[in-house]
Amino acid sequence: MNPTVTHSERVLKYRPEIDGLRSLAVLPVILFHAGFTLFSGGFVGVDIFFVISGYLITSILAAEIAQGNFSILKFYERRARRILPALFFVIIATLPFALFWMLDNDIRNLGRSIISVAVFASNLFFWRNTDYFDPAAGEQPLLHTWSLAVEEQYYIFFPLFLLLAWKLKKPGLTLFILCITCVSLGLSEWGATYHPAINFYLLPTRAWELLAGSLIAMLIFSRPKTTGVAPPFNIYRAMLAVTGVGMVLYSIFEFDEVTPFPSFYTLVPVVGTCLIILFASPQCVTGKVLSLKPVVAIGLLSYSAYLWHQPIFALYRLSPLQLSAYDEVLFPLLIVMVFFLAWVSWKYIEAPFRYKDRISQAGVFKWAGASIVLLLAIGGTLNVVFTPKVDPFAVNVQDCPGYDAGGSELVCEKIGTGSRLVVLFGDSHVLPLVDAFTEDAGLTYMFISIPGCPPLVGLERYDGIGNSSNCDKPGQLEHYADQIAKLEPEKIILVGRWTLYMHGWQKKNVLQKKHHLLQLETGEKGLTPQQVVATGVDSTVKFFTRTTPASKLFILEQVPDIQMFGHVKAVVSALGDNVPRTAIDAWDQGEMAMLDTHTSGGLLNVIRTKQYFCNTTTCEIGKDKSFYYLDDNHLSASGAKLLSEPLRMAIAE
């Protein structure tokens, strides 16, 4: 028996094909996040959900307002019954595993994300902190809650808007909603080019998708009411419904991370979903397929499945069970687990809360308020307890006088006030090296970092995903290097995660393998990533030799990259303090060849690092419960201290 909801929800005739459409939304999202490359556009499932939500909520609101029994209190009661119980349960269930497997800084971010979820602002949090298409986003247990925040923000305004605008009567009201929809769509097309992160996460550029569903609801509401007799089969309506399915499937299989989103491209799945809602019926093949019991069953579990899938996948990727060689087998098993947990939470959490005779309106609001307070307390505690005393990635550009950041995302730190200047220049791997140094009389150390970008002149990023704007244009890296040259340092040490730029992001079962790949600013094609990096090294040596000939140049060998094993806390719990060196050496082979070949001229000196972490067979990643890494590649303070000797030897040379 389905739980009894409220009178307003019974006003609408149940359409099983809408629940079937929910399954068409949730399955691609889950498969996309599981890393199945066939579903490269599976993220459009969220857009399908937006349209469905806009349609259903507006249909209920329009019926209530027309009948004169609309209540804003009852509306938010329904939202609380629908959204909060399962969401709260999933967050609480996720916490023990996160505390056991996540590193301190990740737990802190989890706490901050829990706070944002509690106040329905997680889209704002992830906009500021996480690129949705960055491979590291797969390790964020609550990333998917951004879409819930967008919906709830929409429903703060829309019911009141609809109530106040109802006096325009339905034709004028529908036209007004259409105008707002077009404005939001135009804004998203503009934002896809100029502000992709804001565009992806925030309500103003997402509202048009929900409004599209609202428009469909208004159109259906305006139709003459039928007598309850099923309408005859109509070939044109059936063809339009099939066209809608085709548009949705096209976007699922043909879109990918480089598709500007949301934008005019998003019209494909959104319009397709609208066609299905408008024209699918029990008399046509689309309605019949979407009304099949297994399809409807998945749709009924879709909300719980959506809530569970991201935490399950993220915790797996963080856990010592992360066996990437078996992902093709393990991820299907994880998906089965997702739907089992979805069934449990639907049957025992979601459904009972919808019975008004079991939990009163006052009880719902009291429970919701207590849950929100508890989530705020949990999130605040995690944020305070796990906040590091010193943030190795803190932005502190003002500490580097004489260096013109040029409005970039550049990060800078300085130690000492001596007349002899040493500059460490590179990507995010520069800043943790601050812990390898202490103040020396006569010396000044400047740590200049451009996260996600190598310190190489003549190169630019070309992945085209829009998650970085500080080295994806010609001349940007040369500008940073030119500012260093003007400082006339005694020594310049180039620091980078070189294998990242030679391979791209290669974590198993993550779609975004082109992240951080580079190309020559000239656009020359046909070079391997390894050749591009080597060319950049040569260009950088020539640049500094010309602009600051008195500076001595060094390049720091990349420390052992343990990404193939996972995050350090989970790896230590599974393998102990030592990992096999064979996999690390195989991964670093291209870097070693580049260093050996392109530094033989004597103008660039290599500072070797692996001997301080590795013996002939293993590499040490921690000791006495002290981890040498912050994650799976950045050094911690204790790891950086292992490099004090080779760095000081190079500087003293």
Side-chain angles (χ1 to χ4, degrees):
M1 175 180 174
N2 288 327
T4 303
V5 195
T6 62
H7 170 74
S8 59
E9 289 172 308
R10 293 197 301 270
V11 168
L12 302 176
K13 181 182 177 182
Y14 175 65
R15 297 180 60 187
E17 65 270 17
I18 299 300
D19 275 330
L21 184 57
R22 283 192 174 108
S23 67
L24 188 58
V26 75
L27 287 173
V29 173
I30 292 174
L31 293 167
F32 170 74
H33 286 150
F36 290 94
T37 55
L38 178 64
F39 298 86
S40 59
F43 53 87
V44 305
V46 173
D47 307 274
I48 299 171
F49 274 128
F50 283 159
V51 179
I52 296 172
S53 182
Y55 161 71
L56 291 175
I57 297 299
T58 304
S59 298
I60 294 170
L61 290 174
E64 289 184 340
I65 294 172
Q67 294 172 4
N69 60 5
F70 170 74
S71 166
I72 191 67
L73 201 62
K74 289 182 179 179
F75 173 78
Y76 288 123
E77 175 196 351
R78 292 195 299 269
R79 297 305 296 168
R81 289 179 185 273
R82 168 68 171 159
I83 298 297
L84 292 181
L87 175 62
F88 179 79
F89 179 61
V90 168
I91 292 174
I92 295 301
T94 299
L95 276 175
F97 300 96
L99 291 171
F100 191 68
W101 288 327
M102 296 177 83
L103 292 160
D104 288 0
N105 194 54
D106 296 322
I107 296 175
R108 176 203 178 199
N109 284 331
L110 177 63
R112 294 166 65 199
S113 67
I114 289 174
I115 293 172
S116 68
V117 169
V119 296
F120 296 105
S122 58
N123 59 331
L124 300 176
F125 172 79
F126 289 114
W127 156 50
R128 299 300 300 246
N129 294 278
T130 305
D131 169 26
Y132 183 83
F133 293 104
D134 193 301
E139 297 168 358
Q140 298 277 355
L142 299 181
L143 174 66
H144 60 324
T145 61
W146 74 269
S147 63
L148 302 182
V150 169
E151 281 198 32
E152 295 316 304
Q153 290 160 15
Y154 179 77
Y155 292 126
I156 290 173
F157 304 106
F158 187 74
L160 297 175
F161 157 76
L162 195 64
L163 181 64
L164 294 173
W166 197 259
K167 62 183 180 181
L168 295 174
K169 305 302 180 184
K170 289 183 286 296
L173 176 56
T174 303
L175 181 61
F176 190 38
I177 294 174
L178 178 62
C179 291
I180 300 174
T181 304
C182 292
V183 170
S184 177
L185 172 59
L187 189 61
S188 74
E189 173 66 17
W190 177 82
T193 301
Y194 297 102
H195 297 284
I198 295 176
N199 187 57
F200 187 89
Y201 283 114
L202 300 195
L203 176 62
T205 53
R206 287 289 188 172
W208 70 272
E209 301 174 44
L210 289 142
L211 287 166
S214 298
L215 282 171
I216 297 304
M218 296 303 297
L219 289 173
I220 294 176
F221 190 82
S222 301
R223 289 175 179 171
K225 300 300 181 286
T226 62
T227 59
V229 179
F233 175 77
N234 183 303
I235 184 63
Y236 300 108
R237 293 172 61 87
M239 290 176 62
L240 286 170
V242 171
T243 300
V245 172
M247 294 174 73
V248 169
L249 293 178
Y250 175 84
S251 60
I252 290 170
F253 295 117
E254 294 299 322
F255 287 3
D256 57 28
E257 60 186 14
V258 300
T259 305
F261 221 83
S263 66
F264 288 161
Y265 284 95
T266 317
L267 284 167
V268 178
V270 167
V271 172
T273 304
C274 291
L275 291 175
I276 295 171
I277 294 173
L278 275 170
F279 300 113
S281 69
Q283 287 73 43
C284 71
V285 65
T286 302
K288 289 179 179 178
V289 171
L290 291 178
S291 299
L292 292 173
K293 287 186 177 180
V295 181
V296 171
I298 293 173
L300 290 172
L301 299 178
S302 60
Y303 175 60
S304 282
Y306 182 76
L307 288 181
W308 277 110
H309 85 281
Q310 181 69 16
I312 293 294
F313 294 167
L315 291 173
Y316 165 71
R317 289 179 173 123
L318 290 165
S319 76
L321 300 175
Q322 203 238 359
L323 306 171
S324 59
Y326 304 98
D327 277 354
E328 289 79 3
V329 175
L330 288 175
F331 266 92
L333 294 177
L334 291 176
I335 292 173
V336 172
M337 179 189 296
V338 164
F339 278 97
F340 172 74
L341 293 173
W343 176 81
V344 170
S345 59
W346 175 80
K347 184 174 179 62
Y348 297 105
I349 306 293
E350 271 195 78
F353 266 86
R354 299 201 199 179
Y355 284 100
K356 293 199 68 167
D357 54 354
R358 292 186 181 180
I359 304 174
S360 66
Q361 182 184 85
V364 167
F365 285 126
K366 287 178 182 178
W367 182 90
S371 300
I372 289 172
V373 170
L374 181 59
L375 289 181
L376 290 172
I378 291 172
T381 301
L382 296 179
N383 183 46
V384 171
V385 172
F386 292 96
T387 295
K389 295 180 180 179
V390 178
D391 185 353
F393 302 108
V395 177
N396 202 19
V397 176
Q398 65 270 21
D399 253 9
C400 296
Y403 191 95
D404 175 18
S408 71
E409 297 177 8
L410 178 137
V411 184
C412 189
E413 184 64 79
K414 182 170 74 75
I415 295 178
T417 58
S419 58
R420 297 170 55 206
L421 176 62
V422 176
V423 173
L424 289 91
F425 174 43
D427 56 21
S428 59
H429 285 243
V430 167
L431 290 178
L433 295 177
V434 170
D435 291 299
F437 296 89
T438 55
E439 289 199 26
D440 287 331
L443 279 171
T444 294
Y445 302 104
M446 286 180 65
F447 304 83
I448 298 175
S449 165
I450 313 101
C453 301
L456 302 179
V457 172
L459 304 186
E460 61 182 353
R461 288 175 60 158
Y462 78 97
D463 48 82
I465 297 169
N467 62 312
S468 178
S469 59
N470 52 354
C471 59
D472 62 354
K473 297 178 179 62
Q476 285 186 302
L477 291 171
E478 184 171 342
H479 166 74
Y480 301 136
D482 185 58
Q483 296 302 308
I484 290 174
K486 290 177 180 177
L487 297 173
E488 297 183 349
E490 181 180 297
K491 294 181 173 66
I492 301 171
I493 302 175
L494 305 178
V495 181
R497 188 183 178 190
W498 308 113
T499 54
L500 178 64
Y501 310 115
M502 293 182 179
H503 299 295
W505 192 287
Q506 290 288 321
K507 276 198 171 183
K508 195 75 170 174
N509 273 87
V510 178
L511 293 174
Q512 296 79 29
K513 293 190 172 77
K514 291 184 178 179
H515 267 261
H516 302 293
L517 288 181
L518 308 163
Q519 68 178 3
L520 302 184
E521 291 179 350
T522 59
E524 180 182 345
K525 305 298 182 182
L527 298 178
T528 66
Q530 290 83 357
Q531 290 172 325
V532 169
V533 172
T535 302
V537 171
D538 288 340
S539 299
T540 305
V541 171
K542 292 176 182 177
F543 176 84
F544 282 123
T545 301
R546 173 175 54 82
T547 56
T548 177
S551 300
K552 191 165 186 178
L553 298 179
F554 297 84
I555 186 168
L556 187 69
E557 180 186 32
Q558 179 178 305
V559 298
D561 191 327
I562 63 169
Q563 62 85 29
M564 68 286 297
F565 301 107
H567 277 218
V568 63
K569 187 175 181 180
V571 176
V572 168
S573 67
L575 301 177
D577 291 339
N578 295 278
V579 296
R581 180 170 177 169
T582 306
I584 293 173
D585 285 344
W587 183 250
D588 293 346
Q589 185 176 7
E591 180 210 5
M592 297 299 293
M594 182 270 291
L595 292 178
D596 291 340
T597 302
H598 292 270
T599 61
S600 56
L603 296 175
L604 185 64
N605 303 276
V606 180
I607 303 174
R608 301 291 181 182
T609 66
K610 287 194 174 58
Q611 65 200 58
Y612 297 91
F613 292 84
C614 307
N615 56 33
T616 55
T617 58
T618 63
C619 292
E620 193 172 57
I621 60 175
K623 189 173 185 180
D624 300 328
K625 297 183 179 180
S626 175
F627 303 133
Y628 292 160
Y629 293 82
L630 294 171
D631 42 38
D632 62 4
N633 60 92
H634 293 94
L635 289 178
S636 66
S638 57
K641 286 180 171 59
L642 296 181
L643 297 183
S644 295
E645 179 184 347
L647 287 168
R648 288 184 175 278
M649 288 173 60
I651 291 167
E653 202 173 73

